[in-house]
Amino acid sequence: MGNVVALASMLEGRQVWRGRAAHTPTGDQTTGWSALDAALPGGGWPEASLTEILLPADGVGELQLVLPTLARCTRAGRTVVVVAPPYMPYAPGWEARGVVMSHVDIVRADPRDALWAAEQCLRSGSCAAVLAWPTHADDRALRRLQVAADTGKALAFVFRDRRHAAHASPAALRLELETQPSLQVRVRKCRGGNAPSRPVPLPASWS
Amino acid sequence: MLWACVLLPHLALDGVLRRRPSTDAPLVLVSGSAQARTLFAVNTPARAAGLYRGQRLTAAQALLSQFETVEYDPAAIEHWHRLLAAWAYRYSSDVVLFPHAIVLEVSKSLGLFGPWPRFEAQLREDLTALGFRHRIALAPGAQAAYVLAGIHDGLAVMAPDALQRALAPIALRYARLPDDAGTSLAAMGIRTLGQLLRLPRDGLQRRFGAELLAYLDRLTGEGPELMEAYRPPDTFDLRMEWTHEIEHVEALMFPLRRLIGDLAAYLAGRDGGVQRFVLELEHRGTAPTRVVVGLLAAEREAALLFECARGRLERQQLPQPVVAMRLLARELPPFVPAGRDLFDTRPAHAMPLDQLRERLRARLGEHAIQHLRRTIDPRPEHAQTTADNTRLPEVTETLPRPTWLLDRPIPLHGASPTILAGPERIETGWWDGGDMRRDYYVVRTSQGQCAWVFCPPGEPGRWMLHGWFA
């Protein structure tokens, strides 16, 4: 047996790597879809973080995914901001899914100002959730949104085209919507756990 | 009764200095006729160079080669005096204007603003922020406070007997006696107020009349004080002009901050808010540029008002250099502070929702924020509105309704879609000329989207896309 080395001195000299239990995010931001909640590591949306939703085309069911959350927030009297939506939100449809429209602020902005507006809303801390459709956002812009969501303790949802899936993203959660064979959600990345291998089916988005 | 006197010894000069960034350049106010120009007030650098009040302008020019001269304006003094009275009105409902001073009754205010030392510190802090040099004294009578403020800054006398002791050593020329009683009394060998107060009253009345006695009674608190209380005006109108021309909007921010600060001080004193005000940028020779700043609700916080005004001003193109700016506020509705929950869990630096909306509107435009409301109209194009004053229908729609609506229907191209539900006939609108007769279907497109489409009745196949079930 060679030299006896005290464990404490090795630890002090930083020669031994010590594994640490991974921090599991916990939250009560349920998505409203029990199958999706079960697949996500935190049991719902990651708290105070950016969620990126990748779409093959407009109108495949992206609102379907977030409307139960918006309904929960607005019924609790908290404000939801929709920044520069690609189409006009249709109040009868939103209300049929339980959203209180008086707590939904729709912000009209050109693409240049939309990111600024989304960041201001997230940072303010007075919004429960912010929805945005950045068209020319790069990695840095998304990181700003992520930091703003963390500062203001708000949920940020960013809807982007599927072709951005190949690029890295600072979002805490990345979901991709697929329409074939039926509507389903594939988790591309989730902070605090491994992404589930199977897509999660969602019910059809009309009712 | 306790009266606090705020003496403003440099009102005219401070009114000029506070409008410009602080510099070390000498500056004087001049008054008098064109033949006999004299210095009315001088700032600290000018005094260091040997200039003093009452000096002839030609003598001053001989002493110092370069200094800035500003014409003395008596109306401006009156204006600043009124502004400070409006500020003082925030702390007391009894505010009286004395020459170069403001006197306010504070015995009732002490309960709200803390003991006198803290209250005094608050007054000084406000005045320093507004840019006025000042001296403050406290006494049981308004006249006594006015006299004491001229003698000693920061003197606080609470009890009447202490007041007698404080007044006794004051020289008569500082006692602000009416008329020329002071000079006559000095000739008689009376030097201080204490000596004067000990003189027999009958003799004083015979020599100087009842006026002096009434004044002494007011001073010692034995006689009644009749004063006209200040009443705040109902509109706010403040103008600021400068000697040079400002060509860039950024350079307007300093005067704007001053104007807004004055407005906020006025509003707080009035316990009101402002919902709409106008900034007039004056040019040489042409009509002024008007910038209207409108807010969603009445506000009075200086930082918020400044940010809103800055947002509007930054988008403004200046057609010509600006020589003066005027702030005009006519609509001053009552201010209702927003309630906040004691157990609010939001982050400490959170911005209230109203302030957020104001900030967005300031940059993106007046109508940038919309709220959608459902109407009772069955036509999809008219089923929702952004107007405020609509009656809300009680029943919710049970038929399928999309979550996105296209601004106007477009033809649906591509392979023929699968019909999921329908038809739903909407045939109405005869009353305003917007007749429609459509069969609505829910279809699935080849890409997997759920679409809300319509076609003329009986002609399925000519699909018009109107919304997405997103």
Side-chain angles (χ1 to χ4, degrees), chain B residues 146-202:
Chain B
Y146 183 42
V147 170
L148 288 179
I151 301 295
H152 190 354
D153 187 19
L155 197 62
V157 178
M158 302 270 190
D161 52 336
L163 177 65
Q164 297 279 1
R165 284 199 299 279
L167 287 176
I170 292 177
L172 281 189
R173 59 199 164 102
Y174 298 123
R176 303 180 193 275
L177 294 183
D179 303 332
D180 52 351
T183 37
S184 314
L185 283 163
M188 296 173 191
I190 309 289
R191 299 269 184 266
T192 65
L193 263 179
Q195 292 172 324
L196 177 59
L197 288 170
R198 278 198 299 275
L199 289 182
R201 292 173 66 89
D202 293 349

Side-chain angles (χ1 to χ4, degrees), chain A residues 18-189:
Chain A
R18 303 171 80 184
R20 220 173 266 147
H23 171 69
T24 339
T26 54
D28 52 356
Q29 297 282 4
T30 165
T31 62
W33 303 106
S34 50
L36 185 57
D37 282 347
L40 294 175
W45 302 116
E47 194 109 31
S49 310
L50 178 69
T51 299
E52 187 180 355
I53 297 168
L54 300 160
L55 311 171
D58 281 337
V60 290
E62 66 270 23
L63 289 179
Q64 174 82 345
L65 194 57
V66 297
L67 277 175
T69 314
L70 304 192
R72 177 166 57 81
C73 294
T74 52
R75 275 167 192 269
R78 305 209 46 204
T79 301
V80 168
V81 184
V82 182
V83 181
Y87 305 98
M88 195 62 167
Y90 192 48
W94 286 49
E95 285 186 354
R97 287 157 183 84
V99 181
V100 183
M101 287 311 276
S102 59
H103 289 298
V104 178
D105 282 21
I106 296 154
V107 177
R108 299 256 149 233
D110 55 24
R112 202 167 44 85
D113 284 329
L115 275 173
W116 172 84
E119 192 187 341
Q120 293 294 321
C121 296
L122 285 170
R123 199 174 284 280
S124 74
S126 51
C127 307
V130 176
L131 276 61
W133 284 261
T135 43
H136 304 295
D138 56 359
D139 181 53
R140 269 181 50 195
L142 290 184
R143 191 173 298 280
R144 284 190 72 120
L145 291 184
Q146 163 68 41
V147 171
D150 188 38
T151 313
K153 300 279 173 274
L155 294 176
F157 294 103
V158 172
F159 299 89
R160 304 176 83 197
D161 193 86
R162 188 168 58 183
R163 64 192 154 86
H164 294 290
H167 309 145
S169 162
L173 176 64
R174 290 187 102 185
L175 301 177
E176 183 176 346
L177 280 179
E178 294 173 350
T179 53
Q180 301 299 337
S182 66
L183 184 61
Q184 57 188 20
V185 186
R186 192 179 286 278
V187 182
R188 286 279 174 204
K189 167 192 173 184

Side-chain angles (χ1 to χ4, degrees), chain B residues 21 28 70 74 81 84 102 152 159 161 213 303 335 372 415 451 454 470:
Chain B
V28 299
V70 178
H81 207 179
L84 287 170
I102 292 159
H152 190 354
D161 52 336
L213 275 187
F335 174 69
L372 290 175
F454 67 83

